Amino acid sequence: MAFDSNIEDFDALGNDHIGTSENTPMRSDAFKLNNEEKIDIIKDDVRHIMETLGLDLTDDSLKGTPNRVAKMFVNEIFGGLNPDKKPSASTFDNKYKYGEMLVEKNITVYSTCEHHLLPIVGRAHIAYISNGTVVGLSKMNRIVDYFAKRPQVQERLTIQVVRELQNVLGTKDVACVIDAKHLCVNSRGIRDIESSTVTSEFGGKFQDMETRREFLDYIKLDTKF
Ligand SMILES: [Zn+2]
């Protein structure tokens, strides 16, 4: 996008949910302030928004909201911006020589649309084919959760999960499909409650149609217990 673009152009870009980069756009000074300092500043910003909307912040029900929202932003829903929170990369040798694909499906995704700061809620399905290294199953949930806890674009989230697992496992043979609802589409704007967005990233052997098909067939398996 050219530098002389005006604010309406950026508005349209956001409404169309077009992401600009595979990496989360961060400033180099992103961690100069510690979490407590960030919460302190954001608290005042939230109060300012609420006051501007005309709300009475002396009301008991609203009094605690600025601090509550600031803590939630920094520690919870955007906590994955901090690289310190990245799940440790502990891996194991594939002792039992399982050479087939491993699929972890229906991983809950709670993220936030970076264009509207509204929730993205859905499921991620991940597969990999081990080349000798394996990870604990819950590691995949934690990796999804880490990258989801950022202002996100679903395409970027999908790619970031795959790239991270490729690094951890030392193989390109990783795939991820995410199926999610965007509340900015479901609850405002076009207000389509039913629609969901599917994104996918297929690395290495998963670019082969047969391998990809096998993964997608596993996702369809009914595993209700
Ligand atoms: Zn949005």
Side-chain angles (χ1 to χ4, degrees), residues 77-78 110-114 116-120 148 150-153:
I77 66 173
F78 301 140
Y110 281 115
S111 191
T112 306
C113 156
E114 71 180 20
H116 298 94
L117 299 186
L118 283 171
I120 300 171
R150 298 174 172 198
Q152 268 295 11
V153 177

Side-chain angles (χ1 to χ4, degrees), residues 14-15 17 113-118 120 152 182-185 188:
N15 268 324
H17 293 96
C113 156
E114 71 180 20
H115 301 123
H116 298 94
L117 299 186
L118 283 171
I120 300 171
Q152 268 295 11
H182 292 236
L183 262 65
C184 53
V185 175
R188 54 158 295 288

Side-chain angles (χ1 to χ4, degrees), residues 24-31:
T24 302
M26 301 285 287
R27 291 201 323 267
S28 57
D29 62 353
F31 300 101

Side-chain angles (χ1 to χ4, degrees), residues 25 49 119 134 153 164 184:
I49 291 171
V134 294
V153 177
E164 177 63 14
C184 53

Side-chain angles (χ1 to χ4, degrees), residues 101 127 129 175 177 200-220:
M101 134 183 356
I129 300 167
V177 170
S200 60
E201 176 75 3
F202 300 103
K205 289 179 185 161
F206 288 93
Q207 283 175 7
D208 173 65
M209 283 317 283
E210 222 167 290
T211 311
R212 184 182 301 198
R213 171 56 45 206
E214 185 185 339
F215 170 40
L216 297 177
D217 284 346
Y218 289 139
I219 295 177
K220 280 189 277 181

Side-chain angles (χ1 to χ4, degrees), residues 62-114:
L62 298 179
K63 219 181 261 177
T65 302
N67 191 46
R68 201 176 298 117
V69 171
K71 284 205 298 200
M72 177 184 73
F73 273 17
V74 174
N75 296 333
E76 296 178 82
I77 66 173
F78 301 140
L81 288 171
N82 191 335
D84 292 348
K85 294 267 185 79
K86 189 154 129 178
S88 66
S90 53
T91 53
F92 309 93
D93 287 340
N94 183 8
K95 290 219 177 68
Y96 28 87
K97 303 288 175 225
Y98 178 75
E100 298 296 323
M101 134 183 356
L102 185 146
V103 180
E104 173 93 350
K105 58 184 203 171
N106 295 325
I107 298 170
T108 303
V109 173
Y110 281 115
S111 191
T112 306
C113 156
E114 71 180 20

